Amino acid sequence: MADKLIIFDTTLRDGEQSPGASMTKDEKLRIARQLERLKVDVIEAGFAASSNGDFEAVQSIARTIKDSTICSLSRANDRDISRAAEALQGAASARIHTFIATSALHMEKKLRMTPEQVHEQAKLAVRFARNLVADVEFSPEDGYRSDIDFLCRVLESVIKEGATTLNIPDTVGYAVPELYGHFIKTLREKIPNSDKAIWSVHCHNDLGMAVANSLAGVKIGGARQVECTINGLGERAGNCALEEIVMAVRTRKDYFGLEVGIDATQIVPASRMVSQTTGFVVQPNKAVVGANAFAHASGIHQDGVLKARDTYEIMRAEDVGWSANKIVLGKLSGRNAFKQRLQDLGVLLDSETEINTAFTRFKELADRKSEIFDEDILALVSDESLTSEKEKYGFVSLSQHSETGERPHAAIVFTVDGKEVHGESDGNGPVDASLKAIESHAKSGAEMVLYSVNAISGSTESQGEVTVRLQNSGRVVNGIGADPDIVVASAKAYLSALNKLHSKSDRVAAQG
Ligand code: KIV
Ligand code: ZN
């Protein structure tokens, strides 16, 4: 029986640290359910001490998910660790992941601590965490740029204190595969008690090598856990992509000789869910989950694939869940079929009222669009007005006029705290006019840092899904809106972003 490679997913923690990718508690729970269906071994659900919102998200995930270990990040101090343990109470299997920086640069400039102080704090943190849970992971932040002898001393001590997993982050994405692989190998060889813990890799993608570095950490270094995110979501250039790691290890089992417990048919649904929830669109040529990943356009390739698939295909599209893109419901589908499809997609709405609202929206959409795909359903329910209390802003109606040679004009009706207001404006294009019409009333003063439109299921008949990223007073939020009319989708996305800006949260940076 081959060795097992543990898949540790940090989409909901490190992935969420990407500006604009922050998710609500309900969104996180929905993604956690999908990660459970994907059969990831460990879900890092958040950083419980960073905000009340994140605490509640970790708590609800810990109480709901049964088949994956649920983990919370915490800095190396008693308060963070206690908060993590509190949030994890009730989990079928719980892990605390505590970290402190060990590179000379981070210790001196960021922590303003001596190496001895860091060493002591790491020991105390792991000891404290081990009194609360049996499964404790320790990460020396910026580990790859740390002095190797100092790192060995710290890691040896935390193993003695009971750390069960040691994770070596390449926090700034500086590593190259061969050197990173040997770095892990050297640590394991030099540390006398290294066999008492599982070794883990955590690579950022600044030089586009996160997956290659992680695989080298596994192959050369002997690591048996990889930390990764769906679609490689994460700060700056992102994290190591889960789908690429899993499919590399599966497809090249001859080379890696490792087992992964993942249900690969859930990869594409997970990718879509994360992309739709965060508004981070997947590039078409992205390995495994990009729209073109299995498309053979050249005549020679098409001919080859028709004669024998394996001439040009090393993986089968259906093995990673591509067949999920099918028409699921239509105009005549009833409430029960709709409810069942929501359940299959992992969307559990809290009340009958929410299901009724979602079903009414589904019927409205089915009147305008004959084929309803899974993506349409997810877009319908990803609108936070369905699941949250009362939102400040709500879309009511929009009319706009544009004609060649004339300046477009839009008139919008929307609600502010339940009361209808009207706004009008012209603009460079119909979308610009519509958003200016909203702003003429909302006066948020927010700066738009991203606007993108995507066809949910490929053709012009599909719904347009719009992402609007707004920045205001240091906060960055994503709003998402979907509608067959992309100008309406844009207005909905803008209002959704304003709602997120309005709901102040008190997150603190995980790397702080
Ligand atoms: O990249 C990093 O160093 C981290 C740690 C907190 C594990 O995400
Ligand atoms: Zn990280």
Side-chain angles (χ1 to χ4, degrees):
M1 163 99 173
D3 270 356
K4 164 131 195 234
L5 183 65
I6 298 168
I7 301 295
F8 176 115
D9 180 277
T10 183
T11 307
L12 301 176
R13 197 280 296 171
D14 217 348
E16 203 212 12
Q17 277 174 220
S18 184
S22 67
M23 300 169 225
T24 63
K25 185 176 105 182
D26 293 333
E27 289 168 341
K28 282 187 147 200
L29 187 58
R30 188 183 321 150
I31 291 176
R33 286 197 179 103
Q34 178 58 26
L35 294 173
E36 187 183 36
R37 272 195 291 275
L38 185 61
K39 298 197 190 325
V40 306
D41 300 286
V42 187
I43 299 173
E44 189 161 51
F47 179 4
S50 70
S51 69
N52 290 338
D54 231 23
F55 178 90
E56 284 168 19
V58 176
Q59 190 173 53
S60 78
I61 292 170
R63 287 177 179 169
T64 311
I65 302 297
K66 296 291 163 239
D67 295 337
S68 309
T69 294
I70 306 303
C71 172
S72 171
L73 185 72
S74 73
R75 284 166 295 196
N77 64 56
D78 293 2
R79 180 196 166 264
D80 269 30
I81 295 169
S82 305
R83 273 306 259 175
E86 201 185 329
L88 290 168
Q89 259 169 28
S93 166
R95 174 180 296 187
I96 292 178
H97 176 190
T98 185
F99 76 100
I100 188 162
T102 51
S103 67
L105 188 65
H106 279 225
M107 289 190 292
E108 187 194 328
K109 303 275 191 242
K110 188 181 83 168
L111 298 177
R112 296 185 200 288
M113 287 168 77
T114 64
E116 290 66 36
Q117 287 171 323
V118 166
H119 189 167
E120 195 52 28
Q121 195 159 324
K123 285 198 293 191
L124 292 175
V126 171
R127 190 181 307 161
F128 188 71
R130 266 310 298 260
N131 284 329
L132 302 171
V133 294
D135 186 354
V136 174
E137 174 169 328
F138 174 77
S139 287
E141 192 193 0
D142 205 17
Y144 180 66
R145 292 194 302 169
S146 304
D147 174 78
I148 194 149
D149 293 324
F150 173 63
L151 193 55
C152 284
R153 288 201 297 280
V154 174
L155 295 176
E156 183 179 347
S157 299
V158 296
I159 299 174
K160 281 191 190 140
E161 297 295 346
T164 42
T165 300
L166 297 180
N167 177 48
I168 311 300
D170 176 23
T171 304
V172 291
Y174 180 71
V176 292
E178 198 183 350
L179 298 183
Y180 183 73
H182 283 289
F183 190 72
I184 307 285
K185 184 169 188 271
T186 310
L187 290 174
R188 289 182 59 229
E189 282 168 359
K190 280 187 143 192
I191 298 173
N193 51 0
S194 66
D195 61 328
K196 303 274 181 301
I198 290 169
W199 289 75
S200 166
V201 288
H202 178 114
C203 298
H204 282 262
N205 203 32
D206 298 67
L207 294 173
M209 290 188 280
V211 171
N213 288 337
S214 303
L215 290 172
V218 170
K219 180 71 183 173
I220 305 173
R224 287 296 175 265
Q225 173 176 287
V226 175
E227 302 203 347
C228 44
T229 59
I230 303 289
N231 301 336
L233 186 71
E235 273 183 290
R236 311 186 304 278
N239 283 63
C240 171
L242 178 145
E243 59 280 4
E244 295 179 24
I245 287 289
V246 168
M247 292 319 288
V249 170
R250 282 247 169 119
T251 310
R252 296 307 310 270
K253 192 161 175 211
D254 59 317
Y255 178 71
F256 291 104
L258 293 169
E259 291 288 350
V260 280
I262 296 292
D263 175 357
T265 61
Q266 295 296 328
I267 285 180
V268 168
S271 163
R272 289 211 182 112
M273 192 184 279
V274 169
S275 164
Q276 285 197 330
T277 309
T278 59
F280 280 61
V281 175
V282 175
Q283 75 198 54
N285 57 331
K286 165 88 177 60
V288 186
V289 292
N292 290 351
F294 293 89
H296 297 277
S298 97
I300 297 176
H301 286 207
Q302 282 177 349
D303 180 53
V305 169
L306 288 176
K307 285 178 178 146
R309 282 178 86 139
D310 53 2
T311 50
Y312 287 100
E313 272 187 12
I314 56 164
M315 301 171 270
R316 293 189 312 172
E318 55 270 37
D319 290 350
V320 295
W322 272 107
S323 51
N325 187 12
K326 56 186 187 293
I327 303 162
V328 288
L329 295 173
K331 206 176 161 142
L332 300 177
S333 307
R335 193 174 177 281
N336 279 346
F338 177 71
K339 208 171 151 186
Q340 182 58 48
R341 195 63 209 149
L342 284 179
Q343 257 170 34
D344 294 345
L345 289 169
V347 180
L348 293 186
L349 298 180
D350 287 338
S351 64
E352 285 302 303
T353 324
E354 283 175 5
I355 295 174
N356 289 341
T357 314
F359 185 60
T360 309
R361 287 184 190 181
F362 160 73
K363 282 289 188 189
E364 281 164 11
L365 183 64
D367 275 341
R368 297 160 71 196
K369 189 172 181 290
S370 52
E371 300 171 336
I372 307 282
F373 294 86
D374 284 348
E375 294 86 336
D376 292 313
I377 298 177
L378 287 174
L380 276 177
V381 295
S382 69
D383 180 344
E384 61 274 10
S385 62
L386 194 69
T387 47
S388 308
E389 304 290 277
K390 268 264 151 290
E391 293 292 353
K392 185 162 179 73
Y393 300 101
F395 176 82
V396 179
S397 65
L398 172 73
S399 81
Q400 50 85 15
H401 179 80
S402 63
E403 204 175 315
T404 312
E406 274 184 23
R407 198 162 160 78
H409 185 268
I412 186 156
V413 182
F414 61 105
T415 51
V416 182
D417 295 324
K419 272 206 210 101
E420 281 194 5
V421 296
H422 299 246
E424 276 193 44
S425 178
D426 56 10
N428 289 346
V431 172
D432 188 46
S434 305
L435 304 194
K436 282 188 172 133
I438 297 176
E439 200 50 36
S440 72
H441 211 287
K443 296 196 181 2
S444 73
E447 182 195 350
M448 190 183 299
V449 286
L450 178 129
Y451 171 83
S452 84
V453 190
N454 191 28
I456 287 189
S457 45
S459 75
T460 51
E461 284 181 357
S462 83
Q463 291 199 88
E465 186 174 58
V466 173
T467 303
V468 165
R469 189 171 300 158
L470 297 181
Q471 181 171 316
N472 204 3
S473 318
R475 288 188 71 207
V476 182
V477 295
N478 270 333
I480 301 181
D483 197 275
D485 177 336
I486 58 164
V487 186
V488 171
S490 306
K492 287 180 176 173
Y494 195 83
L495 291 169
S496 147
L498 288 184
N499 278 328
K500 286 192 179 166
L501 274 182
H502 186 256
S503 70
K504 298 260 181 297
S505 79
D506 57 347
R507 291 182 59 79
V508 299
Q511 313 280 326

